[in-house]
Amino acid sequence: MARPDNPAIVTPNPGRCAMIYRPPGGNPGQVWLINREQPLAPETPSQVLSLGEALDRSVALSKHLWQPRGQILALLAPGSQVASAGQEYLGRVEGEGQLVWAAPRSPQTLGSLGVTLTIQDSGAIAFTFPSDLWVLGERNETEILTSFRVTQAVLAPDATQLAWGSWSGQNSSLTLAVLDLTGVSDYVNSEFHLTLASRDPHTDRGGDRRYRTRFQGPLPAHLISRQHNRFELALGRLPLDLRDIQGADTRLELVVTRSLGPYSAT
């Protein structure tokens, strides 16, 4: 028997059938063997749903299982023109999946993104989210139902929407503010890596300005504070001589790494 999307011309013959099929392109078609009288029921190996559609809803999935089968021509009448290797039907797996929302942010704040539920050959249900959605959660499996409880969800682009704030103070109280424009700092971790260099006129050559690195490395946690969506970086308390940078042509590079579980972006 051939799959419906790969039909074959079957000529009755006592005991065996001759099958002749060549799809567009000229290569022989492939035979799919099904050792049963009843036709196969439709399968739904995966479903793509919006987050709203998937919430607290049981999604039924099913999949037919096949294995490679060689020496197909030995089962057919002489003159059959199909590939010598085919697929043999093994059976069917079924299961149900459900998405449960327990994250602080409502799924409505995450736009039109969705989730793909897929049943594996083992019968396990996989939940796959778009690459621009960071999701943490917990699986719970019973004999019939597999649920995935979302405990945290953040849009990846939101994690990197940061902006320079204002400078305040001077000398040892010098502080730089960094602003979280999307308000996700309650949910993601933030690490700050600073490179601070100032011009050293004594090393200038011709028209080229030369800079000396005064500090390079991660900012210690005790120099970082946060109030809601505003980070305060106490740069005046860095282990460097402030006289090297006061009144000088100074360059500052700040790299912020934001992370949630296994996800991260800079």
Side-chain angles (χ1 to χ4, degrees):
M1 176 177 182
R3 295 190 67 179
D5 59 349
N6 190 14
I9 300 174
V10 180
T11 304
N13 197 52
R16 293 188 292 180
C17 293
M19 305 182 69
I20 304 173
Y21 175 61
R22 289 186 180 275
N27 296 321
Q30 187 178 59
V31 174
W32 299 72
L33 297 176
I34 303 175
N35 188 22
R36 52 178 284 169
E37 295 181 358
Q38 300 82 9
L40 299 184
E43 63 177 347
T44 308
S46 66
Q47 285 201 52
V48 181
L49 302 171
S50 69
L51 295 178
E53 292 174 330
L55 286 183
D56 301 319
R57 167 187 170 184
S58 179
V59 180
L61 299 171
S62 57
K63 182 180 182 181
H64 297 312
L65 303 178
W66 305 86
Q67 71 175 2
R69 172 66 184 266
Q71 300 181 342
I72 291 293
L73 293 177
L75 305 176
L76 305 175
S80 297
Q81 298 180 26
V82 294
S84 60
Q87 296 289 324
E88 183 177 16
Y89 181 68
L90 293 180
R92 174 186 176 96
V93 291
E94 297 179 344
E96 296 183 8
Q98 184 180 67
L99 188 69
V100 180
W101 200 266
R105 302 187 76 191
S106 167
Q108 281 70 34
T109 65
L110 304 176
S112 59
L113 297 179
V115 57
T116 301
L117 283 74
T118 306
I119 188 168
Q120 312 292 314
D121 288 356
S122 64
I125 306 295
F127 297 78
T128 306
F129 298 90
S131 59
D132 53 353
L133 179 62
W134 294 356
V135 174
L136 298 182
E138 306 164 346
R139 288 176 61 91
N140 182 48
E141 299 183 25
T142 66
E143 186 175 343
I144 300 175
L145 178 68
T146 300
S147 63
F148 186 85
R149 181 174 176 267
V150 177
T151 57
Q152 196 59 267
V154 171
L155 289 172
D158 285 354
T160 54
Q161 293 299 309
L162 303 174
W164 293 108
S166 58
W167 292 90
S168 61
Q170 58 183 345
N171 299 326
S172 61
S173 63
L174 180 64
T175 301
L176 170 65
V178 176
L179 307 179
D180 173 4
L181 301 180
T182 52
V184 297
S185 292
D186 285 342
Y187 318 120
V188 300
N189 296 319
S190 304
E191 297 180 0
F192 297 83
H193 189 282
L194 176 71
T195 301
L196 181 65
S198 63
R199 181 187 173 195
D200 187 348
H202 301 293
T203 61
D204 287 352
R205 294 183 179 179
D208 295 332
R209 293 185 175 184
R210 299 299 180 93
Y211 290 80
R212 171 185 281 182
T213 299
R214 306 297 182 177
F215 179 88
Q216 185 174 40
L219 275 180
H222 70 276
L223 300 185
I224 305 170
S225 61
R226 180 171 70 89
Q227 294 183 348
H228 304 296
N229 300 328
R230 179 185 177 92
F231 291 91
E232 298 280 353
L233 311 182
L235 302 187
R237 294 165 56 192
L238 286 171
L240 52 81
D241 189 341
L242 294 179
R243 292 174 298 180
D244 292 333
I245 61 174
Q246 288 178 337
D249 182 357
T250 303
R251 291 181 174 179
L252 183 148
E253 179 186 81
L254 186 65
V255 177
V256 186
T257 300
R258 306 267 267 177
S259 61
L260 176 68
Y263 308 97
S264 67
T266 58

